[in-house]
Amino acid sequence: MAFVTSEELLATLVPIAVYWIYSGMYVMFESRFEKYKLHSKKEEEEKNLVSRKEVFKAVLCHQVMSIAINLFTYAVTREKDGEASPKKSLTLLLLAEQLVIAMVVIDTWSFFVHWYLHQNKFLYKHLHVPHHRLVVPYSFGGQYMHPIEGFLDTMGGTLAVLLSGMSPRTAMFFSSFTILKLVDDHCGMKLPGNPFYLFFNNNSAYHDVHHQLYGTKYNFSVYFDIWDRILGTYMPYSLEKRPDGGLEVRRADQEHKKD
């Protein structure tokens, strides 16, 4: 029996390719989209505490680790006949059920891991601070994090696939969608017609609030904002045009001082 099947390999590698292709598109065209950016290039240079080169290298390390975790998980959960689980005919109803379960698992797991990393001062200082060195987020910075936090992040996706009963093929598409959402949440832009703004309250502006100094204890959610609302960590925001061009995310409850 092979250590990994072709579908398992695709389910592991395709989302990573999606990450770099989609984030690369934002990088390639960001100079043409200045009027849609939530921060200026000057803000990025002044506020961010890590270079893009360092972020790039750290993300590659994170992805190598996630490849190892995912392939190992497939290997130990695969049935003797080489399938990850007994075959079921994938009806639209079953697919919808799997997607809902997976999204709820990721949303819940990610929220509480993220929330607790902010509540525990030791963990925040030693594990989560690296991600917040990006005060001005950009597309390929979504997976920039401490290796231990990266492990926890990867486990959220792994649990979502296992608990929902997805096949590797379905997991490939779901994980790719999750990656698209992650990249978009960190892209630092609000492009017109962006479907993530149409279907999710949690979007790049929503998450941008969390990366600002005034919002680090708010807006933790990934897909749904229900946990933020239940635990009182939801912060509404408004988008306003900057005098020098582009957009600015402002907390809607009161004016804040410039960081």
Side-chain angles (χ1 to χ4, degrees):
M1 182 176 65
F3 174 74
V4 60
T5 68
S6 58
E7 283 196 356
E8 292 165 354
L9 191 61
L10 286 173
T12 301
L13 298 182
V14 167
I16 292 176
V18 169
Y19 184 92
W20 290 112
I21 292 170
Y22 191 47
S23 64
M25 289 169 61
Y26 272 113
V27 172
M28 188 181 304
F29 296 108
E30 64 181 349
S31 62
R32 301 183 184 182
F33 293 153
E34 287 292 335
K35 63 180 179 180
Y36 303 121
K37 292 180 70 172
L38 306 179
H39 299 275
S40 66
K41 188 66 177 177
K42 182 180 179 182
E43 280 184 282
E44 178 187 331
E45 294 171 351
E46 292 178 347
K47 294 183 177 181
N48 284 357
L49 303 176
V50 61
S51 69
R52 289 198 173 198
K53 183 178 180 180
E54 290 177 90
V55 169
F56 177 77
K57 291 190 293 185
V59 170
L60 287 180
C61 290
H62 166 81
Q63 291 175 339
V64 168
M65 177 182 66
S66 68
I67 289 172
I69 292 172
N70 289 334
L71 293 181
F72 175 78
T73 302
Y74 280 126
V76 299
T77 58
R78 191 188 315 127
E79 298 294 318
K80 290 183 179 179
D81 62 1
E83 295 293 334
S85 60
K87 281 190 175 180
K88 293 181 181 179
S89 56
L90 187 62
T91 64
L92 286 176
L93 183 61
L94 178 58
L95 177 61
E97 177 186 314
Q98 290 178 341
L99 292 176
V100 169
I101 291 173
M103 290 177 75
V104 169
V105 169
I106 284 186
D107 198 63
T108 302
W109 173 273
S110 298
F111 177 89
F112 283 102
V113 168
H114 193 183
W115 175 80
Y116 189 68
L117 288 176
H118 278 266
Q119 297 302 309
N120 186 300
K121 292 182 179 180
F122 177 84
L123 293 180
Y124 180 79
K125 179 180 179 181
H126 295 282
L127 295 188
H128 194 50
V129 157
H131 187 66
H132 279 275
R133 289 174 184 160
L134 295 178
V135 179
V136 176
Y138 45 79
S139 58
F140 66 87
Q143 289 187 333
Y144 174 67
M145 58 190 78
H146 188 281
I148 295 178
E149 183 180 0
F151 173 79
L152 294 172
D153 180 70
T154 301
M155 288 308 300
T158 301
L159 283 173
V161 169
L162 292 176
L163 294 177
S164 64
M166 286 181 175
S167 68
R169 183 176 299 178
T170 305
M172 177 185 70
F173 288 103
F174 174 72
S175 298
S176 296
F177 169 75
T178 300
I179 287 295
L180 289 173
K181 180 74 166 60
L182 174 70
V183 170
D184 213 81
D185 285 350
H186 290 83
C187 72
M189 300 184 198
K190 183 189 182 300
L191 296 179
N194 187 330
F196 288 112
Y197 273 80
L198 298 176
F199 297 105
F200 295 97
N201 185 39
N202 310 33
N203 46 51
S204 57
Y206 184 96
H207 193 65
D208 186 80
V209 170
H210 179 73
H211 274 263
Q212 305 314 304
L213 298 181
Y214 64 83
T216 55
K217 294 191 176 183
Y218 300 91
N219 294 9
F220 296 102
S221 297
V222 177
Y223 293 119
F224 318 110
D225 59 17
I226 185 170
W227 288 119
D228 275 321
R229 291 182 183 275
I230 290 174
L231 271 70
T233 56
Y234 173 78
M235 179 180 282
Y237 64 89
S238 63
L239 276 172
E240 300 179 13
K241 290 186 177 180
R242 293 198 309 266
D244 57 342
L247 302 170
E248 180 181 12
V249 179
R250 292 199 171 193
R251 55 190 296 178
D253 56 343
Q254 59 181 330
E255 293 292 324
H256 68 270
K257 296 179 179 180
K258 296 282 186 181
D259 295 326

